[in-house]
Amino acid sequence: MSVRTVSQLQKGEKAIIRSFTDRVMSLKLLEMGCVPGCEVRLDAVAPLGDPICINVGGCYSLSLRLNEASTIEIE
Amino acid sequence: MKQENIKIALVGNPNAGKSTLFNALTGLRQKTGNFPGVTVEKKSGTFRLAGSNGSADRDVTVVDLPGTYSVYPKSADEGVVMDILANPKHPDHPAVVVVVVDASNLQRNLLLFTEISDLGIPTILALNMLDVAASMKLTVNAVQLAMQLNVPVVKINARTSEGIPGLQQAIRQVVEKTEKPAQKYFYVPKGNEPALIEEVRALHALDNDYVALQYVCQHDNFSFLAQPVRAKLDSLIEKYAFDETGFLADETIARYKTIKPIVEKSVKSEGATEQPLWTRKLDKILLHPLWGYVTFALILMVIFQAIFAWASYPMDWLDENTASFISWVKEVLPKGVLNDLITDGVLAGIGGVIIFIPQIAILFGLVSILEESGYMARVMVIMDKVMRRFGLNGRSVVPLISGVACAVPAIMTTRSISSRHERLLTILVTPIMSCSARLPIYSILIALIIPSTKVLGIFNMQGLVLFGLYFLGLGGALASAWILSLFIKRTEPGYFMLEMPTYKVPRWGHVGFMMYDSVKSFVLEAGKVILAISIILWVLSSYGPGDHMEVAEQQAVRAMSQAPEEEVAAAVASARLESSYAGNFGRFIEPVIRPLGYDWKIGIALLASFAAREVFVGTMATIYSISGDSEDVLTVKERLMQEKNDLGGVMYTPAVCYSLLIFYVFAMMCMSTIAVVYRETHGWKWPLIQLGYLMVLAYVSAFAVYQLMS
């Protein structure tokens, strides 16, 4: 089975960040507090299915596009 | 000798409460300007620091730096932060940096803090939003945090101004400290980084390792480094085979490793943390597939109702009072050329725009409430996919909505869009959004042709037509973006990634300040232009080449010899205007604008409004008060209603009014916008392309409307 990413989360589902697939995107994600080992949860999906809002470490809500979310691998 | 002001800078993540702290520190002693050399908005202010132990009071200058998540900029406005902090010679380089930190999200906020602290500038940590943290069942031990971080930590609540005296005292202590405290570094260079740092430090006489690393990583963003210096740094990067992206990721992860135990020691949490309940509940509605858009549409409708229906009461009052004020001045001052210049020229022009103060105040007030409350971020989320279809970004919503107030600050806010392509498109189409300067034109023409009846019991017909015009502007902007995106090649992928702030009750004082500030700059900026143009226009329309005006007057008198006295006077005034310099001017361009339904008088106003749209109404007021009966002063609207065309019919027919309305929806009649696009795109190419396509669009649409309706 291939590795799942944040873009495949179901609404309300929680997961732990494992790694990133895009080097440039990972920098921005790290700065926004998405650190490997951190728990994320899919909170909301925008009306047209994209972007999505994830809760990062219980701290705050981050909105990102599906193609950005698909660079975050989860376990 | 007067002591120089102490300079401090506020730094922090977006939404950490930096601007709120700035307002709490400076109150009304603040001003808005630009950072030298760039168009990023700079807010600075002053406050007085009370002396202690016999030392004198000191004045402090505070600069509010753009919000950022790290010292590595992702967009143009974030670049300003390091350009100032890494350059001790910069006029805004601070003696003390206050890092504002959101206590409810300490780990991520401390990343920026540790970076700033490593730069070696004395730093104070202002711990904000402890109330939000408490609602998330988090308690932060400030003493423990101060010990761990080796800097003063001050608990504040920026919204209620709690802890401000404590912060001021901490600033005082840091400034007065004669010896520098031992620097604690949160990132320790490894591998061959120390050798590279050593070489850069020697080359640039730097006393700080992390500043040297910044020279390596972002010298292209540093405006204070000359090209040869940058080239030399590039060769060093090559010499040491320094991998920038890899380094940045490693550094950030290393910092989080250092931060983690610090957060664990100083933050206690009871159970799982969660965002405040009402934020989650509100998001359920405002991001809902149906209710999300319904709410957004309703909010927009309320805005337009407000600026048309509610604003009409103070506007009518102002309108009547300016008219009676002008006739009072006319009577009091001795008759003559000076009287005419002041009343028909200056006061008529100024009066034409002063009545729009209520609309502008309401508009800016409502837009700032949307931003303050945190709702704007939700709008970006629900609009991102729609915007992407047109080649734009969810973030383009803010410039587009701000464009409803004024295109100049709106274009400046595009600096937060990191993709060059999406930013350029947003800049090119923002001026199509109907700005507040068009409002005077819309209001007067709508009032002329649309009855003020109620539709469905609640909506005012005039308000709906106004809404339609704004909607046309929005549609025009999106369609243009889509067409332009076919021609402008995309060079990099755009990205969105946006923090969703918790919902907050707007700070009403701040909203009030925004309203005051916008009205002030509107009256001053527009007033200056209008004053100058009114005077020029008055001169040009009161004097003519040679004896043309006298000849025209005699001809009019002769032709009208049988008519009653009043009509003769009106005919004489009109004939004189027509043969004046301005009249000749208008006549000259009349063939071009005739197909749109305009006469030479409108032509004069069109030409004058090339400087700025708001001049249009003022110009009309000046033109018609010169050509009209000089004894009683009418409001501009009354004058337009009485205006006759060449055939003796009503001049302002629906066809002419709609044609003018459509023309002004699209036309780029604003020098300031052209200037700001020139500055933002670094050249004349884009502003000229923009001016060209918008003028063609305006002309063709107005032509089509007039020909179809008449």
Side-chain angles (χ1 to χ4, degrees), chain B residues 472-546:
Chain B
L472 184 66
L474 174 68
L478 293 180
S480 310
W482 183 74
I483 294 169
L484 288 168
S485 73
L486 300 177
F487 294 101
I488 304 170
K489 281 277 163 288
R490 181 179 277 275
T491 47
E492 64 209 298
Y495 80 88
F496 185 61
M497 241 183 274
L498 176 74
E499 175 178 356
M500 309 281 281
T502 52
Y503 289 102
K504 294 177 190 78
V505 178
R507 296 161 295 156
W508 301 111
H510 182 70
V511 173
F513 182 77
M514 291 298 295
M515 293 166 73
Y516 161 78
D517 206 41
S518 61
V519 167
K520 193 179 96 182
S521 64
F522 173 78
V523 172
L524 289 181
E525 295 302 314
K528 267 186 274 177
V529 179
I530 289 163
L531 190 69
I533 291 196
S534 315
I535 294 174
I536 294 169
L537 203 74
W538 181 84
V539 171
L540 288 181
S541 48
S542 298
Y543 299 94

Side-chain angles (χ1 to χ4, degrees), chain B residues 143-344:
Chain B
V143 179
Q144 180 63 246
L145 196 60
M147 272 161 53
Q148 297 285 330
L149 297 175
N150 200 25
V151 295
V153 173
V154 187
K155 285 185 175 187
I156 60 161
N157 185 336
R159 289 173 73 85
T160 59
S161 294
E162 274 170 76
I164 301 300
L167 179 62
Q168 292 179 339
Q169 207 184 343
I171 294 169
R172 170 119 229 159
Q173 281 167 356
V174 171
V175 171
E176 282 172 357
K177 210 172 269 178
T178 40
E179 71 214 75
K180 250 185 156 182
Q183 174 81 38
K184 173 172 178 158
Y185 286 103
F186 294 91
Y187 174 74
V188 184
K190 27 179 197 295
N192 62 0
E193 287 162 25
L196 171 60
I197 289 169
E198 207 47 55
E199 208 163 321
V200 176
R201 277 183 63 163
L203 205 60
H204 295 278
L206 300 171
D207 60 357
N208 179 291
D209 284 358
Y210 198 55
V211 173
L213 266 175
Q214 296 309 310
Y215 270 62
V216 175
C217 292
Q218 44 175 326
H219 51 266
D220 287 335
N221 299 328
F222 288 166
S223 62
F224 54 92
L225 295 182
Q227 197 47 50
V229 179
R230 295 181 187 181
K232 173 77 184 140
L233 284 162
D234 280 330
S235 70
L236 278 179
I237 289 177
E238 222 163 284
K239 179 180 162 192
Y240 285 91
F242 181 77
D243 165 26
E244 200 188 316
T245 318
F247 163 74
L248 294 184
D250 289 348
E251 184 206 334
T252 308
I253 289 176
R255 283 184 186 279
Y256 275 122
K257 279 197 182 124
T258 318
I259 291 167
K260 203 174 176 208
I262 297 176
V263 173
E264 277 164 4
K265 279 196 193 111
S266 37
V267 180
K268 263 207 298 264
S269 96
E270 303 163 36
T273 52
E274 188 55 271
Q275 276 211 302
L277 187 66
W278 30 277
T279 290
R280 279 179 287 150
K281 281 197 168 158
L282 269 174
D283 270 344
K284 279 223 164 67
I285 303 167
L286 297 176
L287 295 176
H288 187 274
L290 176 64
W291 302 122
Y293 290 114
V294 170
T295 330
F296 185 41
L298 278 177
I299 287 174
L300 289 182
M301 290 287 265
V302 167
I303 292 179
F304 293 113
Q305 277 299 112
I307 50 185
F308 212 83
W310 306 344
S312 67
Y313 303 103
M315 287 175 72
D316 288 345
W317 183 85
L318 277 172
D319 201 9
E320 275 159 32
N321 281 284
T322 15
S324 46
F325 176 72
I326 294 175
S327 40
W328 177 77
V329 172
K330 216 176 180 89
E331 268 170 41
V332 170
L333 288 181
K335 279 213 182 323
V337 180
L338 189 67
N339 185 330
D340 290 348
L341 171 64
I342 291 174
T343 53
D344 292 342

Side-chain angles (χ1 to χ4, degrees), chain A residues 19-74:
Chain A
S19 57
F20 305 100
T21 57
D22 183 294
R23 268 168 49 124
V24 177
M25 201 73 86
S26 75
L27 280 181
K28 185 74 192 166
L29 286 163
L30 282 169
E31 283 170 5
M32 301 293 284
C34 295
V35 192
C38 176
E39 187 183 75
V40 292
R41 183 189 65 211
L42 182 64
D43 268 356
V45 177
L48 296 173
D50 188 16
I52 58 172
C53 298
I54 58 169
N55 184 292
V56 181
C59 286
Y60 83 106
S61 180
L62 172 70
S63 170
L64 68 177
R65 288 178 179 169
L66 281 180
N67 65 341
E68 293 162 351
S70 67
T71 68
I72 312 173
E73 296 184 331
I74 49 174

Side-chain angles (χ1 to χ4, degrees), chain B residues 55-69:
Chain B
S55 58
D57 287 5
R58 296 278 303 264
D59 282 322
V60 180
T61 305
V62 197
V63 177
D64 187 12
L65 293 179
T68 180
Y69 291 100

Side-chain angles (χ1 to χ4, degrees), chain B residues 353-433:
Chain B
V353 287
I354 249 179
I355 59 163
F356 298 100
I357 288 176
Q359 287 182 324
I360 284 156
I362 291 177
L363 186 66
F364 274 85
L366 291 175
V367 168
S368 80
I369 288 175
L370 290 189
E371 284 190 352
E372 282 274 303
S373 62
Y375 180 64
M376 209 62 117
R378 275 70 187 182
V379 174
M380 293 183 207
V381 171
I382 64 171
M383 296 304 287
D384 181 57
K385 199 168 180 188
V386 180
M387 288 303 190
R388 247 186 292 165
R389 296 237 166 95
F390 298 102
L392 300 170
N393 184 298
R395 282 186 171 78
S396 311
V397 172
V398 173
L400 290 182
I401 292 183
S402 317
V404 170
C406 176
V408 175
I411 285 172
M412 285 168 62
T413 64
T414 61
R415 290 213 152 211
S416 68
I417 303 173
S418 59
S419 149
R420 207 192 64 86
H421 179 261
E422 291 171 341
R423 177 159 171 246
L424 178 62
L425 283 181
T426 311
I427 289 175
L428 290 181
V429 305
T430 295
I432 312 179
M433 296 301 289

